[in-house]
Amino acid sequence: AQSVTQLGSHVSVSEGALVLLRCNYSSSVPPYLFWYVQYPNQGLQLLLKYTSAATLVKGINGFEAEFKKSETSFHLTKPSAHMSDAAEYFCAVSDSGSGGYNKLIFGAGTRLAVHP
Amino acid sequence: ETGVTQTPRHLVMGMTNKKSLKCEQHLGHNAMYWYKQSAKKPLELMFVYSLEERVENNSVPSRFSPECPNSSHLFLHLHTLQPEDSALYLCASSQVSGGTDTQYFGPGTRLTVL
């Protein structure tokens, strides 16, 4: 069965610093992988997704993630953090045995704090 | 209205009450989902409807009863809930495409069970 592990439930960075949020997956088949962001009092919004095309995926708001099969990782990065990036970030893997619709298995989430 | 809307945004209910959560998607999608988001736990998929047919029921207690009258509307009927059911309930929709489809989420209903 697919699973996702996000290392670090809380990450704190300074404004302008590199953001690195870690995600490792477990999957018996080539996975489809997603990063979602949740701002306070809002639902989840897709940042980017990997669907077996390019291994470096660019998303919204300057975020990108690289799929590394050898490391079973899909870490999220942003070169320079902005105060508005403070939110909770979720990595998810699609359960490919779900008969067509997208059954997402989510990680526990990483709360990103950005300080001046 | 655009995207996925949910009403009410906040709900407080006693354990003996009956209430319903409503979700509406304005995206023309053919699948809809209910998730439960509790503190300190990963998002839990509760139900999935694809083409208005329930295709997933993730071992959810019978005090939660979903209804999907058409492809744009999804309800979650609640009765005799427990305090541990207090959580954020999120609705999502997508256009089915073999596991790569993006799910679009509503803002959620914050439920408190007294």
Side-chain angles (χ1 to χ4, degrees):
Chain A
Q2 281 86 344
S3 66
V4 170
T5 301
Q6 291 185 242
L7 294 175
S9 58
H10 290 81
V11 171
S12 182
V13 300
S14 299
E15 192 174 19
L18 171 72
V19 175
L20 171 61
L21 304 181
R22 299 178 186 274
C23 173
N24 289 89
Y25 68 90
S26 172
S27 176
S28 57
V29 297
Y32 301 135
L33 294 161
F34 303 75
W35 274 101
Y36 280 84
V37 61
Q38 185 177 29
Y39 299 102
N41 301 315
Q42 295 186 28
L44 279 69
Q45 177 185 5
L46 181 73
L47 277 176
L48 49 81
K49 63 182 178 182
Y50 168 75
T51 58
S52 73
T55 56
L56 182 62
V57 182
K58 294 187 184 297
I60 62 171
N61 301 337
F63 284 93
E64 62 182 37
E66 187 172 8
F67 172 70
K68 292 187 176 181
K69 184 179 178 180
S70 61
E71 299 177 9
T72 61
S73 69
F74 190 56
H75 301 331
L76 182 71
T77 60
K78 181 174 180 177
S80 177
H82 193 272
M83 298 295 288
S84 60
D85 294 326
E88 189 152 23
Y89 292 79
F90 295 92
C91 182
V93 62
S94 179
D95 183 343
S96 58
S98 56
Y101 65 90
N102 193 358
K103 179 178 179 178
L104 290 177
I105 310 299
F106 283 90
T110 297
R111 187 168 298 278
L112 175 67
V114 182
H115 52 87
Chain B
E1 293 277 14
T2 59
V4 180
T5 58
Q6 291 186 243
T7 54
R9 293 294 308 276
H10 300 272
L11 178 62
V12 179
M13 59 186 290
M15 289 191 288
T16 58
N17 291 159
K18 290 185 179 181
K19 296 286 185 182
S20 296
L21 309 185
K22 179 183 176 182
C23 174
E24 184 173 0
Q25 60 100 357
H26 309 267
L27 301 167
H29 290 163
N30 57 12
M32 297 188 76
Y33 310 75
W34 278 118
Y35 288 89
K36 177 182 179 182
Q37 187 176 29
S38 308
K40 301 179 182 178
K41 290 180 72 175
L43 272 80
E44 302 171 69
L45 179 64
M46 301 175 71
F47 301 104
V48 181
Y49 278 82
S50 179
L51 299 174
E52 300 164 41
E53 178 182 344
R54 190 191 309 180
V55 294
E56 181 91 23
N57 180 350
N58 219 14
S59 302
V60 179
S62 60
R63 57 186 183 269
F64 295 91
S65 175
E67 179 189 2
C68 187
N70 55 60
S71 60
S72 299
H73 294 87
L74 185 65
F75 295 89
L76 188 62
H77 304 299
L78 316 171
H79 64 97
T80 59
L81 294 190
Q82 304 298 310
E84 60 264 29
D85 297 322
S86 298
L88 182 68
Y89 289 85
L90 292 164
C91 173
S93 71
S94 73
Q95 186 65 23
V96 173
S97 59
T100 64
D101 42 304
T102 297
Q103 290 185 22
Y104 292 81
F105 286 79
T109 294
R110 175 69 63 186
L111 174 66
T112 302
V113 181
L114 301 176

